[in-house]
Amino acid sequence: MKLHLVYFTVLTLNSKLFFFGSGPPKRPLMLTIVFFALSGLDVLDSLNVIDKPSLIEWVYSLQVIPTEDQSNLGRCGFRGSSHIGVPYSTSKGPGVSHPYDSGHVAMTYTGLACLVLLGDDLSRVNKEACLMGLKALQLEDGSFYAVPEGSENDMRFVYCAACICYMLDDWSGMDIKKAIDYIRGSMSYDNGIGQGAGLESHGGSTFCAVAALSLMGKLEEMFSQRELNRIRRWCMMRQQNGFQGRPNKPVDTCYSFWVGATLELLDVFQYTNFEKNRNYILSTQDRLVGGFAKWPDSHPDPLHAYFGICGLSLIGEANLRRVHPALNVSQRAFEYLQHLHRTWRGTCT
Amino acid sequence: MSAITQTSDLTNKAALIPLATERPAYYRMSGIEETSNVSSEFQEERSEVEVEEEIGYEDPFRYVFYRDRKEWADLEPVPQDDGPNPVVKIAYSDKFTDVYDYFRALLKNDEKSDRALLLTAEAIELNAANYTVWHYRRVLLQALEKDLREEMRYITAIIEDQPKNYQVWHHRRMVVEWLNDPSEELEFIAEILSQDAKNYHAWQHRQWVIKEYKLWDSELEYVEQLLEEDVRNNSAWNQRHYIISHTTGYSDPAILNREVQYSLKQIKKAPHNESVWNYLKGILQDLGLSSHPGLLEQILELKETHCSPYLLGFLVDIYEDFLENTLEHHEEVLSKALELCELLAREKDTIRREYWSYVGRSLQTKYVIVSSGFAPTNE
């Protein structure tokens, strides 16, 4: 465990960032990497190594806030990084107008999650603007773009949208019915869930769908018991030792979370084989720098390191905090969020 | 610091790439960080500077930073601003910083020019996942009314090199839409699938093209060819379902039967194949597994010679469907189902031992006849 702590700390505190395996550093996605690091440290019960106030400021500097004339409301949310070149500002005062500055749904999700993890009270989040920005991303079929300029649309962003609404305790940011229609329409003939209608069922999109429904409070309402049993079966069949993402594909550490968490939400994770799962995840550890990779003897990366830890947390590994299977943060952070919600609901607007 | 990419692929490609001076303007090396831990095998093939795109300088082999190019002197580069206490730093190469400082400057002014378009290609080469660069490039392509056929050639090369990147496929889709010309797509996607027959992006793009432009006609044949090559290709089975459900559908009994027979044939060839069993169950489950005449008998027969955990699970599901739809032979059917769950747990699918026990208990709870002392018999 200590090694993983080192791995995550290296990611956030060192002046140099190491990215292995997956290609050039993806600057515009920086916030997601920071989320993996922070949430990973949290699950390792080690957020105390972080300079929280500084990080909170940095996250707030990524918020796309309304300009003076409010003409950019449909573009609000959080950026992944400062890569566009907008001058640094920690969400104080109106936003700076820039022709290409918009939020990204995954960054808004991870930005809010990071703030929650860091114990911030979200008071500098312009909730109305975030929700307007989110609404602007939803398509007719219920799915979401990542950015208002347009992008691909699939179940990943449905999940991000659900997390945003959940964390802000406000579902006006989406048309829930349409989102649910999209989710139901993405169920495959084999009872897994694909990224969209007709697409191959996949562990990642199945998680996104089931977790989104769970966050909406609609899981039992929108799927019959028979359908839920079918989804359970599809997910259970993904275990080979670790978990695969699709039938007849190799296992990969991150599916120990994607599929594991889905099974947990469906109340049957307890019936998986913990030992084989654990042994697989541990076999993908990097003994030099810590972290996990998708396969044994491969380079670790922040995503697999984080989901490896989460996969172990699901089976109740010692010295790890429990992870909330739908919101994908520690139970501690989840309870802090519940507390925030209570304080919001307690006061009059 | 930087990335370690899959290098062996690149090594092979590097050897095939002509010198920079001979390459057409749009051709690019893959987006890797040049000053990084790129493997030495790769570096022997080409020195770092030889593979750079040069834009007509006196020495064609020396890369010149944008900050030193006189045609760019009018533009003030914009550095990234992470405030007084940058929390996450990446040590990018000089080249990366230089290109992106000028990219940010162009963005800020929303400049629409050929030089901007050229720069986006450099920025993409350095990081093909930067969605802002791709968006800006699309804006430029339209504003400058660029040749979209050339853009198709460009995006083809990029996807060949980085086929698992979301942005490149989205870009291709946009260009195809603008041209309203899907004529190259099926062949191109087939080429990508020949390198990785399960590439999710490729299949997604393929489904979109087929649906949008109604290119259904030859797809079943293509799917069959892929299944010939690998009967366990789950993506191909999914595509089979996609095509049939969008064309003939499965309601015609002749079609349904054809598909059932096709599936059984593939099962006999390779019994331990979850994909074919999922397909077979998928096309029959909504009608009710117990309602298809002769199916149970066929599966029981297969059980003797081509058994698998999938076959046994299928039987459990057929029995459950019986239980759901008829009271006849209730105890017998339930007992057979429970026996199979026990067999799976004990011997045939032990990794899911707890799950099959749970399935058995659930069946028991749901279907036990609670009247006058009836209870399922365990054999």
Side-chain angles (χ1 to χ4, degrees), chain A residues 191 233, chain B residues 277-285 289 314 317:
Chain A
N191 305 316
R233 172 75 64 84
Chain B
W277 282 104
N278 286 353
Y279 182 77
L280 183 60
K281 192 193 305 183
I283 62 180
L284 294 173
Q285 69 184 0
L289 293 177
F314 197 99
D317 294 334

Side-chain angles (χ1 to χ4, degrees), chain B residues 8 148 229:
Chain B
S8 60
L148 295 178
E229 291 166 25

Side-chain angles (χ1 to χ4, degrees), chain A residues 11-30 34 51 54-55 58 61-62 78-89 98-100 102-104 107 145 147 149-154 156 182 187-191 193-202 205 225-226 229-230 232-242 244 246-250 266-268 270-273 276-277 294 299, chain B residues 1-6 31-33 78-92 96 100 103-110 112 125-132 135-136 138-139 162 164 166-167 170 173 196 198-200 203-204 207 231-235 237-239 241-242 246 272-276 278-283 285-286 309-310 313-314 316-317 320-321 324 349-356 358-359 361:
Chain A
L11 282 185
T12 49
L13 297 185
N14 263 28
S15 60
K16 295 176 184 185
L17 259 139
F18 294 84
F19 289 92
F20 298 97
S22 50
K26 290 164 174 52
R27 190 85 209 202
L29 309 181
M30 184 54 55
V34 170
D51 175 0
S54 297
L55 259 164
W58 179 74
S61 79
L62 299 175
F78 282 72
R79 311 171 192 98
S81 76
S82 55
H83 69 285
I84 303 269
V86 173
Y88 184 84
S89 159
H98 187 295
Y100 291 92
S102 326
H104 182 295
M107 308 309 146
Y145 286 136
V147 292
E149 292 82 2
S151 72
E152 70 278 13
N153 60 294
D154 54 49
R156 297 172 296 154
Y182 183 81
M187 197 160 160
S188 162
Y189 63 87
D190 71 359
N191 305 316
I193 300 174
Q195 288 290 353
L199 292 168
E200 192 182 357
S201 55
H202 184 283
S205 42
Q225 271 309 312
R226 187 161 85 161
N229 282 335
R230 287 174 172 177
R232 288 177 179 116
R233 172 75 64 84
W234 186 89
C235 292
M236 286 299 308
M237 296 307 290
R238 290 317 113 234
Q239 183 168 26
Q240 308 300 300
N241 34 59
Q244 64 192 178
R246 295 179 261 172
N248 287 320
K249 287 234 32 184
L266 296 169
D267 300 312
V268 290
Q270 55 184 306
Y271 304 123
T272 60
N273 185 314
K276 294 205 159 153
N277 187 14
K294 64 195 294 197
H299 292 294
Chain B
M1 283 303 132
S2 54
I4 301 167
T5 62
Q6 289 90 358
I32 54 165
E33 263 291 75
V78 175
Q80 211 164 324
D81 184 1
D82 277 310
N85 209 5
V87 115
V88 275
K89 276 199 251 184
I90 305 181
Y92 283 111
F96 193 102
Y100 273 89
F103 170 68
R104 283 184 275 271
L106 289 169
L107 263 196
K108 183 173 166 190
N109 299 333
D110 202 4
K112 308 271 179 18
E125 182 173 346
L126 291 165
N127 181 5
N130 190 319
Y131 58 86
T132 310
H135 170 64
Y136 182 53
R138 282 190 287 276
V139 169
Q162 300 185 60
K164 295 206 170 178
Y166 284 95
Q167 288 70 38
H170 177 68
R173 176 168 154 165
D196 173 0
K198 303 178 184 186
N199 181 324
Y200 204 95
W203 284 110
Q204 191 160 7
Q207 286 198 353
V231 72
R232 292 186 177 84
N233 184 337
N234 197 67
S235 309
W237 283 103
N238 182 74
Q239 189 75 345
H241 190 272
Y242 181 72
H246 280 91
H272 197 91
N273 177 3
E274 190 191 342
S275 298
V276 62
N278 286 353
Y279 182 77
L280 183 60
K281 192 193 305 183
I283 62 180
Q285 69 184 0
D286 289 330
Y310 317 113
F314 197 99
V316 171
D317 294 334
E320 177 163 23
D321 197 64
E324 200 151 315
D349 196 19
T350 55
I351 194 171
R352 273 167 279 280
R353 168 187 328 144
E354 300 300 328
Y355 171 72
W356 290 115
Y358 156 77
V359 171
R361 287 195 305 277

Side-chain angles (χ1 to χ4, degrees), chain B residues 287-299:
Chain B
L287 298 164
L289 293 177
S290 60
S291 66
H292 199 85
L295 180 71
L296 174 60
E297 289 68 29
Q298 280 185 297
I299 306 292

